[in-house]
Amino acid sequence: MLSSTEENYLKAIYNISERESGSVTTNNIAQVMQTKAASVTDMIKKLADKELVDYAKYRGVSLTEKGRGLATQLIRKHRLWETFLVDKLGFDWDEVHELAEELEHIRSDELINRLDQFLGQPKFDPHGDPIPNASGRFTIRQQTQLSDLKPGEKGEVVAVHHHDDALLRHLAEIGIELKTNLEVLELHAYDQSIQVRLGTGKVLQINPGLAQKLFIRRSN
Amino acid sequence: MLSSTEENYLKAIYNISERESGSVTTNNIAQVMQTKAASVTDMIKKLADKELVDYAKYRGVSLTEKGRGLATQLIRKHRLWETFLVDKLGFDWDEVHELAEELEHIRSDELINRLDQFLGQPKFDPHGDPIPNASGRFTIRQQTQLSDLKPGEKGEVVAVHHHDDALLRHLAEIGIELKTNLEVLELHAYDQSIQVRLGTGKVLQINPGLAQKLFIRRSN
DNA sequence: AAATAATTTTAGGTTGCCCTAAAAGCCTTA
DNA sequence: TAAGGCTTTTAGGGCAACCTAAAATTATTT
Ligand SMILES: [Mn+2]
Ligand SMILES: [Mn+2]
Ligand SMILES: [Mn+2]
Ligand SMILES: [Mn+2]
């Protein structure tokens, strides 16, 4: 039985290792967990004792199979709760992350499987992130960063990277949400910004930072 | 901001003072919280510092207005989550108490108010217990213990006392749930048992312990 | 290859919630 | 009303998760 804190560390390690290659460093975890390196070392030892991470002093950690499995289940719970909050309770997509951070620690397989059924076994959460199934398998989807599209290419917004509430609110404001269709009109060499036309006809300048955080499925 | 533990103590004190008159004793709380008297004394001091209980050494505690308000909100959350689990996720009434014990500590007024809306602002939980509204007011209902009915009296089961899962399963097995209609046929002086006929026609012998835990609204 | 800089670990301490054992206070009953 | 028996509090610790400061190790620069 893991504490909520242990679960959060596992998830942090999982997320870091998804976006960076090699082993995960103490400082890296400290930053994500908003804590101090010394505290991370304490916790790493505990997780290593429980065989959830492989750990070599001064060399960082990586998840074991067991650790990765638990992290995946936690992500499943997080994303299912987010889906519940948006689809059933009518929250906006920028309001659900913190709540899901608490709800994900409710410990009951029965609960999460019933919730999954109730929601119609969704494959993606309100931010377009894939929801692993009960065996921990993710649905793979073809997607590209908006910043990689060439002028003339069209597509549909399928995910946003990631849980920055201000970003999500901004997107909603300028008219971008999941399933929004768009076409790249021009790339401006001067500031790397991208001009796009939305399905609604609205034309927008998207700055490069934002364009990296929007994931598109090409549609032609 | 209260910890889950502090919230649970408040709820325990609230529940004890509902069923017993006078101030709530340390041992009483220790028994409900499954902990030791010394631990209770520690916590009582903390709650007294926060002005959630009135405390006089060796004299027990009682909730302040503020403490009672928080306890009531916790009970609201508990009962709304139980209602969600039964009505929306299809759990049986004997399966939801422990889960609600965890869910009730999720801290968000917005969440609980949306959940309330989603459930249709229910007035009673799956065990027939009243759900306080956002201002902490309970719906009052006329009800009598089955053990107080006289032969010939009829009524409807409106609540069961309380969260003993085995009791709830037993009731379901013998055909008693909320809204079950019944009529008292006979009282047996020998063992104080009560013979009742359910709406279905089924005739049962109910022992006096159980009869005290069934709440009935008279219907004639 | 040193020297310096950065990272990581260790040492020692705090807080919240729990414990056992002993002391203190309250209550009953002779 | 005084003793004995409960109940409650205090004293002194343990454990999880955090902290700061110092030491150890690794990485980078000269
Ligand atoms: Mn999230
Ligand atoms: Mn998400
Ligand atoms: Mn309950
Ligand atoms: Mn209930």
Side-chain angles (χ1 to χ4, degrees):
Chain A
M1 190 90 301
L2 298 187
S3 68
S4 295
T5 309
E6 290 170 316
E7 289 188 331
N8 284 333
Y9 271 91
L10 284 183
K11 194 171 54 149
I13 296 168
Y14 180 94
N15 286 332
I16 296 165
S17 60
E18 282 292 285
R19 72 174 119 80
E20 276 155 61
S21 58
S23 69
V24 176
T25 70
T26 302
N27 262 354
N28 229 326
I29 297 169
Q31 188 215 316
V32 171
M33 293 294 295
Q34 310 239 70
T35 183
K36 296 299 151 84
S39 309
V40 173
T41 302
D42 279 358
M43 179 56 84
I44 281 175
K45 285 180 187 163
K46 194 146 55 110
L47 295 176
D49 285 347
K50 297 188 177 186
E51 303 193 333
L52 300 171
V53 298
D54 290 318
Y55 172 51
K57 262 192 197 176
Y58 294 102
R59 285 279 118 93
V61 291
S62 58
L63 292 172
T64 61
E65 268 313 300
K66 199 165 140 201
R68 190 188 331 284
L70 290 172
T72 306
Q73 283 316 300
L74 196 64
I75 287 167
R76 170 171 161 79
K77 292 198 258 179
H78 183 100
R79 294 182 180 168
L80 283 171
W81 279 117
E82 284 188 342
T83 305
F84 168 72
L85 294 171
V86 169
D87 287 7
K88 300 297 183 180
L89 298 194
F91 279 98
D92 291 333
W93 69 351
D94 59 297
E95 300 175 317
V96 296
H97 182 69
E98 280 312 310
L99 277 171
E101 285 292 322
E102 295 194 50
L103 287 160
E104 71 190 5
H105 299 292
I106 305 288
R107 241 172 289 281
S108 164
D109 289 346
E110 180 71 12
L111 172 60
I112 209 64
N113 290 333
R114 282 180 186 265
L115 185 63
D116 186 37
Q117 285 300 318
F118 181 60
L119 298 172
Q121 300 187 274
K123 297 287 169 284
F124 299 95
D125 84 359
H127 312 105
D129 292 316
I131 300 173
N133 66 17
S135 352
R137 199 178 304 281
F138 289 87
T139 300
I140 309 284
R141 180 179 49 194
Q142 211 53 51
Q143 60 181 44
T144 327
Q145 287 164 297
L146 173 56
S147 49
D148 287 344
L149 291 200
K150 306 274 172 293
E153 289 194 297
K154 292 180 189 173
E156 178 193 351
V157 177
V158 293
V160 287
H161 195 55
H162 195 186
H163 294 122
D164 171 350
D165 293 347
L167 164 68
L168 295 172
R169 271 193 300 280
H170 174 64
L171 287 173
E173 255 166 46
I174 65 179
I176 292 181
E177 48 189 42
L178 294 191
K179 299 194 176 144
T180 294
N181 285 296
L182 52 77
E183 174 180 0
V184 173
L185 301 177
E186 272 190 77
L187 305 182
H188 297 287
Y190 169 63
D191 62 353
Q192 325 286 4
S193 75
I194 300 175
Q195 193 175 48
V196 302
R197 180 168 46 228
L198 304 187
T200 58
K202 191 171 177 184
V203 173
L204 297 172
Q205 289 294 123
I206 308 234
N207 78 359
L210 215 172
Q212 290 188 329
K213 292 176 180 153
L214 284 176
F215 292 89
I216 308 297
R217 193 182 57 211
R218 286 197 181 79
S219 62
N220 72 335
Chain B
M1 189 88 302
L2 299 187
S3 69
S4 294
T5 309
E6 290 170 317
E7 290 189 328
N8 284 333
Y9 272 92
L10 285 183
K11 194 171 53 148
I13 296 168
Y14 180 94
N15 285 332
I16 296 165
S17 60
E18 282 293 284
R19 73 174 119 80
E20 276 156 61
S21 59
S23 69
V24 176
T25 69
T26 303
N27 262 355
N28 230 325
I29 298 170
Q31 187 215 317
V32 171
M33 293 294 295
Q34 310 240 68
T35 185
K36 296 299 151 87
S39 309
V40 174
T41 302
D42 279 356
M43 179 57 83
I44 281 176
K45 286 180 187 163
K46 194 147 53 110
L47 295 176
D49 285 347
K50 297 189 177 185
E51 304 192 332
L52 300 170
V53 298
D54 290 318
Y55 171 51
K57 264 193 197 175
Y58 294 103
R59 287 277 119 92
V61 291
S62 58
L63 292 172
T64 62
E65 267 314 299
K66 199 165 141 203
R68 191 190 328 287
L70 290 172
T72 306
Q73 283 315 302
L74 196 64
I75 287 167
R76 169 170 161 81
K77 292 198 259 179
H78 183 100
R79 293 181 181 169
L80 282 171
W81 279 116
E82 284 187 342
T83 305
F84 169 72
L85 294 171
V86 169
D87 286 7
K88 301 296 183 179
L89 298 194
F91 280 97
D92 290 333
W93 71 351
D94 58 298
E95 300 174 318
V96 298
H97 182 70
E98 280 312 310
L99 277 170
E101 285 291 322
E102 296 194 50
L103 287 160
E104 70 190 4
H105 299 294
I106 305 289
R107 240 171 293 280
S108 164
D109 289 347
E110 181 70 12
L111 172 61
I112 209 65
N113 290 335
R114 281 180 186 265
L115 185 63
D116 186 36
Q117 286 301 318
F118 180 60
L119 298 173
Q121 301 187 271
K123 297 286 168 283
F124 298 95
D125 85 357
H127 312 105
D129 291 316
I131 300 174
N133 66 15
S135 349
R137 198 178 305 282
F138 290 87
T139 300
I140 309 284
R141 180 180 48 195
Q142 212 51 51
Q143 58 182 43
T144 327
Q145 286 164 298
L146 173 56
S147 47
D148 287 343
L149 291 200
K150 307 273 172 296
E153 289 194 298
K154 292 180 188 173
E156 177 192 352
V157 176
V158 292
V160 287
H161 193 57
H162 195 190
H163 294 122
D164 172 349
D165 293 346
L167 163 68
L168 295 172
R169 270 193 300 281
H170 174 64
L171 288 173
E173 253 166 48
I174 65 179
I176 293 181
E177 50 190 42
L178 294 191
K179 299 192 177 144
T180 293
N181 286 295
L182 52 77
E183 174 180 0
V184 173
L185 302 177
E186 274 189 75
L187 305 183
H188 297 288
Y190 169 64
D191 61 354
Q192 327 282 5
S193 75
I194 301 175
Q195 192 174 48
V196 302
R197 180 167 45 226
L198 304 188
T200 57
K202 192 173 176 183
V203 173
L204 297 171
Q205 289 295 123
I206 307 227
N207 77 0
L210 216 172
Q212 289 188 330
K213 292 176 179 151
L214 283 176
F215 291 89
I216 309 296
R217 192 182 59 213
R218 285 196 182 79
S219 61
N220 70 336

